Amino acid sequence: MGALLGLVAGVGALLVFHGLTTAPSPRQARRSRLELLIERSGVRGIGVPGLVGACMGVGLVTLLLVLVVTAVPAVALVAGALGSYLPITLLKRRATQREKALRDAWPDAVDALVSAVRAGMSLPEAVGDLAVRGPEPLRRSFALFASEHRATASFAGALDALKEDLADPVADRVVASLRTAREVGGSDLGTVLRTLSEFLREDARTRGEIEARQSWSVNAARLAVAAPWVTLLLLSARQEAVQAYNSTEGLLVLAVAAGLSVVAYRLMLRIGRIPVEQRVLA
């Protein structure tokens, strides 16, 4: 038992040390997947090292709890590996919820811009006014825009700050459209904004329908993978099952089952995956 815990702790410490001391490759220097995930989720104050540390901590706690309950090291290792993925799963769920909330809020925000421009406000004033009258999910970001515009008097610079704060593909398109609308101005400004609003609303409706259908595939994949391991945990409460899985044959069965579960889960998610819209102006 002591050797097993020492091995897990040693490997984890080695991975953290390697990640912190190794110079990133040119590909990694651009953006890592974890950095993009943290950015998409909108969670601030956490970096990649913090996320990796959270994964290790949750995995170790899960390993110890399952080991105390089942007394089967192999089952505890599998549970620890699954538990270590929990923080990433939560971040992915938060990122999905945030993207949906922003996608649903943008059409109303652009409609508010159209109304403000019709009322005689300039485009910078109309955009800054969304900090008060805009949809709730966007107000904090537009308050940042208003603050940046007051400090610099630069509409383009304030739009850049807004784009970086939201870190959202739809926001990139809206910012590009606002730049164009600012340059066009005049009587075409309302037409540009109304066209943008209609496009965003139609896009949100279509993607919402696709996501509703895709959720069936995702839930089925999670249920199919989780059911055998929940059953295994229940069986591990029996002494004869503990003895069976502590044998060499039992460890081999668990290793093969864990590998097949991971491959099958990833395959099912890939089949039912909706392509993530990339940020073209990041």
Side-chain angles (χ1 to χ4, degrees):
M1 169 56 66
L4 176 63
L5 294 179
L7 177 62
V8 173
V11 171
L14 179 62
L15 291 175
V16 172
F17 177 78
H18 177 74
L20 294 177
T21 58
T22 303
S25 64
R27 182 183 183 90
Q28 292 173 329
R30 292 197 294 267
R31 300 301 287 277
S32 70
R33 289 186 177 182
L34 291 182
E35 286 177 320
L36 293 175
L37 176 61
I38 294 172
E39 184 180 80
R40 286 174 50 215
S41 68
V43 176
R44 292 168 175 79
I46 178 175
V48 173
L51 178 58
V52 173
C55 292
M56 292 178 58
V58 173
L60 183 59
V61 170
T62 305
L63 184 149
L64 294 175
L65 288 176
V66 175
L67 187 60
V68 169
V69 173
T70 65
V72 183
V75 175
L77 283 174
V78 173
L82 295 175
S84 65
Y85 197 70
L86 180 61
I88 295 178
T89 301
L90 294 177
L91 272 185
K92 287 184 176 180
R93 177 172 294 184
R94 180 180 176 87
T96 301
Q97 293 174 344
R98 178 175 180 267
E99 289 172 354
K100 184 179 184 303
L102 292 178
R103 191 166 59 243
D104 293 341
W106 273 117
D108 293 334
V110 178
D111 287 343
L113 281 177
V114 174
S115 299
V117 170
R118 283 180 176 175
M121 298 177 67
S122 66
L123 186 57
E125 291 175 337
V127 176
D129 189 60
L130 291 178
V132 178
R133 305 181 187 279
E136 185 63 34
L138 296 171
R139 288 186 180 181
R140 192 197 64 80
S141 297
F142 280 109
L144 174 65
F145 167 88
S147 175
E148 184 72 17
H149 188 260
R150 285 195 300 269
T152 64
S154 172
F155 184 69
L159 283 181
D160 288 337
L162 175 67
K163 180 186 67 175
E164 293 304 320
D165 183 70
L166 288 168
D168 178 63
V170 179
D172 291 345
R173 284 184 288 168
V174 173
V175 167
S177 300
L178 290 177
R179 291 184 193 274
T180 303
R182 174 71 167 178
E183 295 173 359
V184 172
S187 59
D188 291 332
L189 177 57
T191 302
V192 171
L193 293 177
R194 283 193 298 272
T195 302
L196 176 62
S197 174
E198 294 172 0
F199 173 78
L200 292 176
R201 186 167 279 107
E202 181 64 23
D203 181 68
R205 184 188 64 80
T206 302
R207 194 168 185 89
E209 293 177 356
I210 295 175
E211 287 177 348
R213 297 181 181 181
Q214 183 252 7
S215 64
W216 289 91
S217 299
V218 174
N219 292 334
R222 291 171 179 167
L223 180 61
V225 171
W229 296 103
V230 172
T231 303
L232 176 62
L233 289 177
L234 295 177
L235 289 175
S236 297
R238 303 177 59 181
Q239 189 61 33
E240 54 270 27
V242 171
Q243 294 175 355
Y245 287 115
N246 271 329
S247 64
T248 303
E249 293 81 2
L251 294 177
L252 180 60
V253 169
L254 289 177
V256 172
L260 290 176
S261 295
V262 171
V263 171
Y265 182 67
R266 298 299 301 176
L267 182 60
M268 285 187 287
L269 289 184
R270 189 173 186 84
I271 292 174
R273 182 180 61 182
I274 299 176
V276 177
E277 187 175 2
Q278 300 297 320
R279 295 188 62 196
V280 296
L281 299 178

